[in-house]
Amino acid sequence: MSFSSPLLLLTLLAVPAIFVYAVAVDRRRSRYAVEFTNVDVLAAVADRRRSWRRWIPLALLLLALATAASALARPNARLSVPASNRMVIFLVDVSGSMRANDLEPTRLDAAVTAMRSFLDRVPPSLQVGLVAFSSQPQVLAPPTADHQLVRDQLGYLVPEAATALGDGLAAAVKLAVSSLARAGVHRQPGRYLPAAIVLESDGAQNRGNLHPQQAARIARAAGLRVYGVALGTPSGSISSGFGINVGPTGAPPDPAVVREIARITGGKAYTARNATRLTSIYTSLGSRISHKTERREITSWFAVAAAVFLLGAVAAGRLIEGRLP
């Protein structure tokens, strides 16, 4: 937390000053008590004054003054607020390596489960699109608020052939930009578009016209962040239809490519080596994309707290006074 007018925090010095003054007045009254000649009355008064309850109104009053003084300094804090993102494009790798079973039951099946979990956590108004890529990209669902439609399309994903990651990313960028343009949303200089691309891939490109880094620069120029999830383990392997493993190392992922794409576009990269971690990543992504951390002024919070403490001081004072004979 910080303050827009920190010099006004000097008004907090009034709090200890008032406390010292109150203690001094209380002690002065104690000295005057020796003038009583009636010992019984003096004992009763002294016992009552020694009770800690008599300090409750003063404590609440000092809290009210402290919070009011802090409010004058205009406090602000970093808060999680709804983000302006209105669109997310799922970009899913459906190359042959996605049938590797190092993530159970397969990389692709685990990815589909995680994406459905993501849809459970984002606002219903968020538009979601789906692009799949193997040897070439294919738009399976244009951006829509009908999340059930996207769920249904996810069920049709099956591993195919090669991996044209760069071409797939370029297609996702084109889809997002054109969809926003039809809605009258265009990129402002120096600002990101209210959309993001969520890439799901094992990262190993072996086909396509565009290199992944080239496509990432296209995304950056368009004002789109890419959040990349790299799937798999170094020992991941795929099998043929006859259950024979293909090669000793099978289908190792290339998370460095996914990290580089995220770095270039200003997004964030994740690595998932098991299905549990993958679901956790998508849970985090749902919050990250639909919310953002922003510095907001919270003066009103302190003003309300000061009012509550002040009312408490008045109520406590009247209650304690009412108990006096």
Side-chain angles (χ1 to χ4, degrees):
M1 187 171 64
S2 59
F3 297 87
S4 299
S5 304
L7 288 178
L8 291 177
L9 289 174
L10 292 174
T11 56
L12 286 170
L13 294 175
V15 175
I18 293 173
F19 177 74
V20 171
Y21 175 77
V23 171
V25 169
D26 184 73
R27 288 181 176 177
R28 188 180 305 166
R29 288 177 179 174
S30 298
R31 287 198 299 270
Y32 290 160
V34 298
E35 297 180 4
F36 280 97
T37 56
N38 190 321
V39 177
D40 292 335
V41 173
L42 176 60
V45 172
D47 287 342
R48 187 163 57 237
R49 286 183 176 175
R50 280 195 296 269
S51 175
W52 61 269
R53 293 183 180 85
R54 74 185 192 280
W55 295 105
I56 292 178
L58 176 61
L60 291 172
L61 177 61
L62 293 178
L63 285 172
L65 291 175
T67 51
S70 299
L72 288 175
R74 298 175 58 196
N76 51 78
R78 297 188 67 83
L79 304 174
S80 178
V81 299
S84 59
N85 283 327
R86 55 190 297 176
M87 182 182 299
V88 168
I89 305 296
F90 282 139
L91 178 58
V92 188
D93 184 349
V94 291
S95 61
S97 60
M98 291 294 284
R99 75 166 61 93
N101 60 5
D102 46 354
L103 273 72
E104 296 182 351
T106 67
R107 291 177 184 175
L108 182 57
D109 290 331
V112 168
T113 299
M115 285 183 281
R116 286 174 172 162
S117 176
F118 175 93
L119 291 173
D120 290 335
R121 289 169 171 79
V122 296
S125 59
L126 181 71
Q127 293 196 340
V128 181
L130 176 62
V131 176
F133 67 93
S134 178
S135 298
Q136 59 185 11
Q138 182 179 6
V139 176
L140 299 181
T144 175
D146 185 356
H147 295 176
Q148 186 58 48
L149 173 64
V150 180
R151 288 173 181 274
D152 293 341
Q153 292 298 319
L154 287 171
Y156 294 117
L157 296 178
V158 292
E160 296 179 7
T163 307
L165 175 52
D167 291 355
L169 180 53
V173 171
K174 182 179 179 180
L175 177 63
V177 171
S178 61
S179 298
L180 289 172
R182 283 194 295 271
V185 179
H186 302 277
R187 186 192 181 194
Q188 301 298 319
R191 302 186 66 178
Y192 283 95
L193 286 170
I197 296 173
V198 177
L199 167 64
E200 189 82 55
S201 174
D202 52 22
Q205 168 150 319
N206 54 23
R207 189 71 56 83
N209 298 317
L210 282 177
H211 194 275
Q213 282 83 347
Q214 289 178 292
R217 285 190 283 271
I218 292 173
R220 182 182 63 186
L224 289 168
R225 285 189 175 97
V226 178
Y227 296 90
V229 183
L231 294 172
T233 63
S235 60
S237 64
I238 58 177
S239 60
S240 69
F242 301 100
I244 301 173
N245 285 340
V246 179
T249 55
D254 188 2
V257 172
V258 176
R259 286 196 299 269
E260 183 66 7
I261 291 172
R263 184 194 66 78
I264 291 173
T265 62
K268 185 175 177 61
Y270 304 85
T271 300
R273 296 193 173 192
N274 57 67
T276 301
R277 169 61 178 160
L278 181 59
T279 300
S280 174
I281 289 171
Y282 267 88
T283 299
S284 174
L285 275 174
S287 299
R288 187 183 188 95
I289 291 175
S290 60
H291 290 79
K292 63 180 179 179
T293 301
E294 190 174 89
R295 189 166 292 281
R296 293 283 183 92
E297 187 171 321
I298 54 174
T299 299
S300 59
W301 297 11
F302 281 75
V304 170
V308 170
F309 285 134
L310 182 59
L311 290 174
V314 173
R318 290 184 177 180
L319 182 63
I320 292 175
E321 182 180 357
R323 289 182 177 179
L324 294 177

